[in-house]
Amino acid sequence: MIKLNFKFLNFYFKSFHQCIHLRSNHFHFANSSRLKIDSNRVLKELSKSGRINEARKLFDKMPERDEFTWNTLIAAYAASGKLTEAMELFKETPIKSSITWNSLISGYCQHGMETEAFDLFSRMQVEGQRPSQYTMGSILRLCSTSGLLRRGKQVHGYVIKTQFESNDYVATGLVDMYAKCNCISEAEYLFEMMPDKKNHVMWTAMVAGYSQNGEAFKAIKCYRDMVVEGVASNQFTFPTVLTACAAVQAGNFGAQVHSFIVRSGFEANVFVQSALVGMYAKCQDLDSAMKVLENMEVDDVVSWNSMLVGCVRLGCAEDALSLFRNMHARDMKLDNFTYPSVLNCFASMQDVNNAMSVHCLIIKTGFEASKLVNNALVDMYAKQGNMDCAFQVFDHMPNKDVVSWTSLVTGYARNNRHEEALKLFCDMRLAGIYPDHVVLASVLSASAELTVLEFGQQVHANFIKSGLQSSISVDNSLVTVYAKCGCIDDASRVFDSMQIRDVISWTALIVGYAQNGKGRDSVRFYDQMIASGTKPDFITFIGLLFACSHAGLLERGRWYFASMQKAYGIKPGPEHYACMIDLLGRSGKLVEADALLNQMDVEPDAAVWKALLAACRVHGNLELGERAAKNLFELEPTNAVPYIMLSNMYSAARKWEDAARIRRTMKSRGISKEPGCSWIEVTSKVHTFMSEDRGHPRTTEIYSKIDEIMVSIKEAGYEPDISFALHNMDEEGKELGLAYHSEKLAVAFGLLSLPPGAPVRIFKNLRVCGDCHTAMKYISRVYHRHIILRDSNCFHHFKEGQCSCGDYW
């Protein structure tokens, strides 16, 4: 019995020991699992908080790692941009699931590494892993942000092949990708093909797509449809629709969206508030924009910048400066969008001292290296007329773009430093910078002012070769440059080729024909302009009245002058009165011209009195001429022209003492006549001549040609008019002096240098003298040349002995 009991006890203890061992193993396993779960949880928290080094230390100490462990750290490295470390872990991980692949691919996509992301995407499929919706989403997001349309289309093909097109997440990515790659039609098609139950992310992507692609009205309609469908908007939806409202000045609808924002509880969201400020500012409702700005709890620099830009655009420069001072006082972090806006204020206000202070602040805050800020500085100084400072800023810029060059070139052109503008444009081209429409328009304007036809033609040719789309500003400048260089037919051809014309286009052509002695054509184009529905402006009527004056269209001129205010509400300025007085003077209506001058609503300026004086000189009205000259002596005391004209009038009336008195007055006041200067452009080089000039390399040939010309035209009937010669010479000396006037030297050089039959284009800084005008008519007939001479008043087209000006100069 005892023996049996012993066996039983032995069996019992053995069984008990086994039971204890099993329980111990179970306890150990439970502890191990719990430890792994706790470690994974801590690992995830460290990774999410960006404490990746600590996460890595924990990872290395973990005795056991599961799929979650590896994926968590790979995702953390990838998201933080430590892609080398992520790739090393990826290679080491024993199990590569679709989550593992997606974590790494997502990191490469997030950091814009296109090649690596797509290589991994391909390898994933080769290794038998099927991309998930999240993989597709990451890849499509990369295509969206980087504008990879071709890649995006390839992914779209894969989506269709794997039947992912009905997945909301993937479909939203496709809509967003096409919209951001400027394929809004494709995005719209995909959006409409989705089932009726679209989520708010897809709606927002479509609203944003329309807005970003310039389809503001469609964006607004899409948003309204979204609201009708009962889909909730969020902090991403509202800014996109507000941007669309701003683009088309839909302030009323924007205000309705604002109400909906308040009802939806997003009125405190900084991104939504910033969009509201921008919308109201762009819709010219600065009061509402300011109310939103004042209610913001956070000083958001983007919102303040929007307000600043709104003030600048509406011409509220003082308000903009006040905002800038307030931003500075609040210690806000000004950025490279703040400074350009405030610099625009100084450009319009001409506030040099404060502009310099802001420039100092820019240097102090480290923004002197910002290209955007430097471009604004160049533009500001140029608009203030301070080209030296503009050039210094430009010269110290390490990286110059087309905007930098354009700001300086345009500045030189605006400040009448046309030669420097053209030289800088040449430097720009040598630097490999391709010009845009703005700089081309400025360069062509400078070419027009300098009347350098060949340079303008080269710019025109380069513009055509560049493939740039037609621009109304460039086309208008081309019309002007050809018209001002005497190529009115070329100007007309450019005008005819224009798809869009504005009042500047028509005015350039009207003025061009008038200056080229084709006043009746100017009137014809004016009639066409009115028939096209284009309303004339202040400048149009100057050109039109100038045309009537030079074409002798007295009644037409009177009618146009009367219609200015009556039909178009344009109050005549001194320029219009000057044209009318010139028109009346040319027609011999000096009494009417004097009466009109006395009835002027504005104070007569020098141009008005010059027009009257010129008419008095032609018609010999000495009494009225004296009155005009005396007013000019007061208005332009250093201008020699009225003194000389009055002196010549006295001489013509044989009042020698009065003529001598005027000459003595000139001398005592230190007034000297501006020397006459003529120039001609041959093979892209400008050749300049003064009267009796002997500084040209081909002087001997030129003077020999002059002698030949004088003999030839005298045989044809030309007789020198010695009244235009200097008074202190004998008759033979006066004749020689007339022969060597600057315009005759220029035409002689042109006949020597230009191909037979080519037009001879000459430009003079003063009005052509009467003797030279007569000589040019004879030269054109004897040498069978079209001579185009532009003086300070107009073009003279000499052909076969006739001049387009009608011999009134």
Side-chain angles (χ1 to χ4, degrees), residues 60 74 134 165 281 403 417 462 558 587 603 678 715 792:
D60 290 339
I74 289 170
Y134 303 108
E165 69 267 31
V403 179
R417 293 169 68 169
N462 284 328
R558 284 172 172 158
S587 303
E603 193 67 26
S678 298
E715 288 176 357
S792 61

Side-chain angles (χ1 to χ4, degrees), residues 352-399:
V352 179
N353 293 331
N354 279 323
M356 292 282 191
S357 299
V358 173
H359 191 174
C360 291
L361 184 62
I362 286 167
I363 296 169
K364 185 179 177 181
T365 51
F367 279 95
E368 75 274 18
S370 167
K371 191 186 294 181
L372 196 65
V373 174
N374 277 321
N375 286 345
L377 278 168
V378 173
D379 185 61
M380 178 203 68
Y381 282 126
K383 285 177 179 173
Q384 287 184 346
N386 190 345
M387 292 309 301
D388 292 338
C389 283
F391 182 78
Q392 282 179 19
V393 174
F394 174 84
D395 197 39
H396 285 89
M397 288 177 68
N399 298 308

Side-chain angles (χ1 to χ4, degrees), residues 7 20 60 127 155 243 246 264 278 390 421 442 453-454 470 484 541 607 623 662 685 783 808:
K7 287 182 178 179
I20 293 297
D60 290 339
E127 295 189 18
V155 176
T243 301
S264 303
S442 295
L453 175 63
E454 289 185 30
S470 181
K484 284 193 173 182
F541 278 105
E623 182 181 349
I662 295 297
K685 185 177 179 182
Y783 287 87
Y808 186 106

Side-chain angles (χ1 to χ4, degrees), residues 27-256:
F27 180 76
H28 177 74
F29 177 77
N31 278 350
S32 176
S33 297
R34 191 176 297 112
L35 180 63
K36 191 193 299 179
I37 291 167
D38 289 342
S39 296
N40 280 342
R41 179 178 54 79
V42 175
L43 186 72
K44 185 175 182 182
E45 288 174 1
L46 290 171
S47 298
K48 275 191 172 181
S49 61
R51 296 155 67 185
I52 301 173
N53 291 337
E54 294 176 52
R56 181 58 193 256
K57 287 177 183 177
L58 176 60
F59 175 86
D60 290 339
K61 288 178 181 178
M62 289 174 69
E64 293 183 35
R65 304 168 188 135
D66 59 13
E67 184 183 337
F68 180 87
T69 312
W70 288 92
N71 288 346
T72 299
L73 197 59
I74 289 170
Y77 273 131
S80 65
K82 296 185 175 182
L83 297 167
T84 304
E85 292 87 341
M87 178 58 81
E88 286 173 359
L89 276 179
F90 178 79
K91 289 176 182 176
E92 292 174 18
T93 183
I95 303 171
K96 295 181 178 68
S97 67
S98 64
I99 296 172
T100 318
W101 284 93
N102 183 61
S103 297
L104 192 61
I105 291 170
S106 178
Y108 279 108
C109 289
Q110 187 180 336
H111 292 89
M113 300 182 74
E114 172 196 344
T115 305
E116 293 83 352
F118 276 96
D119 283 348
L120 280 169
F121 183 63
S122 299
R123 275 179 54 197
M124 178 183 185
Q125 297 165 57
V126 170
E127 295 189 18
Q129 284 288 348
R130 188 172 187 266
S132 68
Q133 61 176 349
Y134 303 108
T135 316
M136 299 291 197
S138 296
I139 286 287
L140 287 169
R141 203 157 33 249
L142 172 63
C143 295
S144 296
T145 54
S146 303
L148 307 174
L149 178 60
R150 186 178 63 83
R151 292 278 201 182
K153 285 182 175 180
Q154 290 172 355
V155 176
H156 188 184
Y158 183 80
V159 165
I160 294 169
K161 184 180 176 182
T162 53
Q163 298 181 344
F164 265 112
E165 69 267 31
S166 59
N167 181 283
D168 286 355
Y169 189 79
V170 176
T172 302
L174 284 168
V175 169
D176 185 59
M177 182 274 295
Y178 278 117
K180 287 195 172 122
C181 290
N182 301 319
C183 295
I184 194 64
S185 298
E186 287 84 344
E188 187 177 52
Y189 174 79
L190 287 172
F191 178 78
E192 290 176 354
M193 290 298 291
M194 284 300 293
D196 293 337
K197 296 292 182 181
K198 303 178 182 78
N199 61 31
H200 70 280
V201 180
M202 186 174 290
W203 279 98
T204 300
M206 200 62 228
V207 173
Y210 281 132
S211 184
Q212 291 162 4
N213 283 273
E215 299 277 6
F217 288 112
K218 283 189 175 183
I220 292 169
K221 182 183 180 300
C222 187
Y223 173 75
R224 290 174 66 181
D225 292 342
M226 177 181 175
V227 173
V228 169
E229 289 288 328
V231 180
S233 303
N234 59 18
Q235 71 269 28
F236 302 107
T237 316
F238 291 123
T240 57
V241 72
L242 288 170
T243 301
C245 292
V248 292
Q249 305 280 292
N252 291 335
F253 188 81
Q256 292 174 29

Side-chain angles (χ1 to χ4, degrees), residues 215-495:
E215 299 277 6
F217 288 112
K218 283 189 175 183
I220 292 169
K221 182 183 180 300
C222 187
Y223 173 75
R224 290 174 66 181
D225 292 342
M226 177 181 175
V227 173
V228 169
E229 289 288 328
V231 180
S233 303
N234 59 18
Q235 71 269 28
F236 302 107
T237 316
F238 291 123
T240 57
V241 72
L242 288 170
T243 301
C245 292
V248 292
Q249 305 280 292
N252 291 335
F253 188 81
Q256 292 174 29
V257 175
H258 189 177
S259 299
F260 193 61
I261 287 167
V262 174
R263 291 199 301 273
S264 303
F266 285 96
E267 72 274 17
N269 183 279
V270 67
F271 298 108
V272 175
Q273 288 175 323
S274 181
L276 279 168
V277 172
M279 183 274 294
Y280 280 125
K282 286 179 181 176
C283 291
Q284 304 181 17
D285 187 353
L286 295 183
D287 292 337
S288 296
M290 184 57 77
K291 284 177 184 175
V292 176
L293 191 68
E294 288 171 348
N295 288 327
M296 291 181 71
E297 294 179 5
V298 180
D299 281 339
D300 175 53
V301 71
V302 176
S303 307
W304 283 78
N305 284 346
S306 297
M307 190 73 209
L308 197 61
V309 171
C311 290
V312 172
R313 282 179 177 165
L314 288 177
C316 304
E318 289 292 348
D319 292 332
L321 288 178
S322 177
L323 274 170
F324 177 75
R325 292 188 193 101
N326 204 348
M327 291 174 77
H328 189 48
R330 286 173 181 246
D331 237 2
M332 291 177 66
K333 192 175 180 181
L334 308 179
D335 61 19
N336 56 355
F337 294 101
T338 312
Y339 287 114
S341 299
V342 76
L343 290 171
N344 277 334
C345 297
F346 296 124
S348 59
M349 293 174 67
Q350 300 291 308
D351 189 344
V352 179
N353 293 331
N354 279 323
M356 292 282 191
S357 299
V358 173
H359 191 174
C360 291
L361 184 62
I362 286 167
I363 296 169
K364 185 179 177 181
T365 51
F367 279 95
E368 75 274 18
S370 167
K371 191 186 294 181
L372 196 65
V373 174
N374 277 321
N375 286 345
L377 278 168
V378 173
D379 185 61
M380 178 203 68
Y381 282 126
K383 285 177 179 173
Q384 287 184 346
N386 190 345
M387 292 309 301
D388 292 338
C389 283
F391 182 78
Q392 282 179 19
V393 174
F394 174 84
D395 197 39
H396 285 89
M397 288 177 68
N399 298 308
K400 305 174 182 75
D401 61 9
V402 66
V403 179
S404 320
W405 288 91
T406 298
S407 297
L408 196 63
V409 171
T410 304
Y412 278 125
R414 278 201 207 107
N415 287 282
N416 298 319
R417 293 169 68 169
H418 303 298
E419 286 188 31
E420 287 162 287
L422 299 191
K423 287 176 183 175
L424 191 69
F425 177 73
C426 293
D427 292 340
M428 173 184 172
R429 297 296 291 117
L430 288 171
I433 303 294
Y434 288 95
D436 60 11
H437 294 107
V438 178
V439 73
L440 286 171
S442 295
V443 166
L444 287 167
S445 295
S447 302
E449 293 303 317
L450 293 173
T451 58
V452 282
L453 175 63
E454 289 185 30
F455 191 92
Q457 288 173 325
Q458 288 173 15
V459 173
H460 188 185
N462 284 328
F463 173 61
I464 294 169
K465 288 179 183 176
S466 71
L468 285 170
Q469 287 188 345
S470 181
S471 160
I472 193 167
S473 60
V474 174
D475 287 342
N476 287 344
S477 298
L478 282 168
V479 172
T480 302
V481 74
Y482 283 123
K484 284 193 173 182
C485 290
C487 302
I488 194 62
D489 291 337
D490 291 328
S492 185
R493 273 191 285 272
V494 172
F495 180 84

Side-chain angles (χ1 to χ4, degrees), residues 647-695:
S647 174
N648 289 342
M649 287 176 71
Y650 281 135
S651 297
R654 298 186 177 277
K655 293 191 174 185
W656 310 115
E657 290 184 8
D658 289 325
R661 174 173 54 80
I662 295 297
R663 297 273 179 179
R664 285 196 301 271
T665 302
M666 279 183 69
K667 190 173 182 181
S668 66
R669 294 179 181 177
I671 300 167
S672 58
K673 181 184 176 184
E674 181 186 356
C677 172
S678 298
W679 62 95
I680 181 172
E681 186 182 8
V682 177
T683 60
S684 299
K685 185 177 179 182
V686 176
H687 301 261
T688 306
F689 299 91
M690 307 285 281
S691 185
E692 300 187 37
D693 194 347
R694 294 183 182 273

